[in-house]
Amino acid sequence: MDFGLVLQTDPPASAVVGLMRRAERNGFRYGWTFDSAVLWQEPFVIYSQILEHTETLTVGPMVTNPGTRTWEVTASTFATLNDMYGNRTVCGIGRGDSAMRVAGRKPNTLARLGEAIGVIRDLAEGREAVVDGQPLQLPWVRDGKLPVWMAAYGPKALALAGQQADGFILQLADPYLTASMVTAVRTAASDAGRDPDSITICVAAPAYVGDDLAHAREQCRWFGGMVGNHVADLVSRYGEHSDLVPEALTAYIKAREGYDYSHHGRAGNPSTDFVPDEIVDRFCLLGPAEAHIEKLKALRELGVDQFAVYNMHDAKEATIDAYGSEIIPALNR
């Protein structure tokens, strides 16, 4: 199983680079960041420094979207980093939540997202693609490689990931929901004539190592609110009791009363008081190292190839070190 570290690009950027270097030393193979230009610093600038100061770490956004940058700019940025540092990037992409909403825009449609996946990958790998009716090609790309991994929850998005993406990002670590969604993605891949096992499965969630479970929950409760934004979209689209969206995912947002993006992804987010302990425990990895190992082994059995640690709490360094000393070795013996 691979491991990734997910950070927000809060200033100073040097601290982000430092945590990524620490992660690589501890056996993490991927370095991910949020991508929301108003809330945090521009991640692609920081990726250049992360790549310069690490040896093998693969970096990318978790996740970008098709709306905040034109597709040829996104592709050219990835291709430039790959040309400089040797194909060490991955494009995590979704419809767009905070990046779009904070700027007063709606998330992108799935149709637009599906088109963007193909265009960005083709351009970054040196092939011609059509953007807004115009055939384009980056003539300087040589041997470029850009896997595109799609974040999804709902049935249509899961199907799109299986049909078009190189990887699937699931932002929660509940084994029951993971099993259902991985099956949906791989079934869609098979139905589209693709090898379902060729799709990389990445589960991303907060992890907090320690014996004080109550404190760990409070440090990670924000995650239920972040997931709740996407769940609220699903409920508005499919209805509260739709057979297409499991109640195990939707029931907890009934007490949700709006969301303040100024606290997005941060411990102590006052917009996430509605998230019950049960959801925090199901969606996150909490407790002593043994509890993390047990849950990660269960996820691996479900086909998960990578666990990406959302590291937004008061024990960033300690979590990285605990994973490096105890958890990653236990999963990769």
Side-chain angles (χ1 to χ4, degrees):
M1 179 180 268
D2 282 336
F3 287 83
L5 183 72
V6 189
L7 299 174
Q8 294 167 336
T9 51
D10 288 313
S14 58
V16 178
V17 175
L19 287 170
M20 291 297 187
R21 294 181 67 187
R22 190 183 197 114
E24 184 182 56
R25 292 195 301 269
N26 276 281
F28 289 76
R29 295 190 60 235
Y30 284 76
W32 302 93
T33 74
F34 282 37
D35 178 17
S36 191
V38 174
L39 297 177
W40 301 288
Q41 292 187 327
E42 171 55 39
F44 286 93
V45 176
I46 299 172
Y47 295 157
S48 188
Q49 286 297 298
I50 294 170
L51 290 165
E52 176 68 26
H53 289 92
T54 56
E55 298 293 329
T56 61
L57 202 69
T58 295
V59 304
M62 189 176 280
V63 294
T64 193
N65 72 86
T68 52
R69 302 176 185 84
T70 60
W71 302 349
E72 71 274 15
V73 170
T74 298
S76 181
T77 305
F78 277 113
T80 301
L81 291 171
N82 284 336
D83 187 65
M84 293 171 68
Y85 298 104
N87 288 340
R88 290 170 55 198
T89 68
V90 57
C91 177
I93 194 167
R95 294 176 59 232
D97 179 32
S98 62
M100 298 297 289
R101 297 184 201 272
V102 168
R105 307 183 186 108
K106 294 181 179 180
N108 298 269
T109 64
L110 286 176
R112 180 173 171 82
L113 174 57
E115 185 181 359
I117 287 172
V119 167
I120 291 169
R121 180 169 50 211
D122 283 345
L123 289 175
E125 295 185 349
R127 295 183 293 276
E128 182 180 280
V130 177
V131 181
D132 295 330
Q134 177 70 32
L136 298 176
Q137 188 170 12
L138 305 181
W140 46 269
V141 174
R142 297 289 183 272
D143 302 317
K145 186 67 177 175
L146 182 66
V148 181
W149 297 8
M150 179 181 155
Y153 292 109
K156 292 181 180 179
L158 294 169
L160 180 62
Q163 292 158 3
Q164 297 195 31
D166 301 300
F168 164 49
I169 298 172
L170 175 58
Q171 295 171 93
L172 54 80
D174 176 70
Y176 171 77
L177 292 169
T178 298
S180 171
M181 294 183 182
V182 169
T183 297
V185 169
R186 290 198 160 143
T187 298
S190 181
D191 290 346
R194 305 180 69 198
D195 176 4
D197 293 328
S198 69
I199 299 174
T200 303
I201 306 296
C202 174
V203 161
Y208 198 106
V209 183
D211 294 325
D212 189 343
L213 191 57
H215 180 73
R217 284 174 178 147
E218 291 311 311
Q219 287 294 303
C220 299
R221 196 175 303 277
W222 62 266
F223 184 65
M226 188 181 84
V227 174
N229 294 334
H230 302 284
V231 175
D233 279 348
L234 295 177
V235 170
S236 67
R237 188 174 303 117
Y238 297 107
E240 188 175 334
H241 302 291
S242 170
D243 292 337
L244 296 174
V245 184
E247 188 175 358
L249 182 60
T250 61
Y252 83 98
I253 69 161
K254 292 177 181 177
R256 181 178 182 268
E257 297 179 354
Y259 190 84
D260 182 355
Y261 278 92
S262 66
H263 304 284
H264 188 57
R266 299 188 186 280
N269 185 339
S271 298
T272 60
D273 292 344
F274 70 93
V275 181
D277 289 351
E278 177 197 3
I279 287 294
V280 182
D281 292 348
R282 284 172 49 194
F283 285 10
C284 305
L285 274 74
L286 311 174
E290 293 78 14
H292 292 244
I293 293 167
E294 180 181 4
K295 192 166 188 178
L296 287 166
K297 285 182 176 178
L299 291 169
R300 185 174 62 183
E301 287 295 313
L302 297 173
V304 174
D305 300 298
Q306 178 183 154
F307 177 61
V309 176
Y310 274 108
N311 203 28
M312 298 88 178
H313 47 57
D314 63 2
K316 294 182 178 67
E317 292 85 356
T319 298
I320 294 169
D321 293 347
Y323 264 72
S325 63
E326 299 181 73
I327 298 166
I328 293 176
L331 269 293
N332 290 330
R333 288 195 182 104

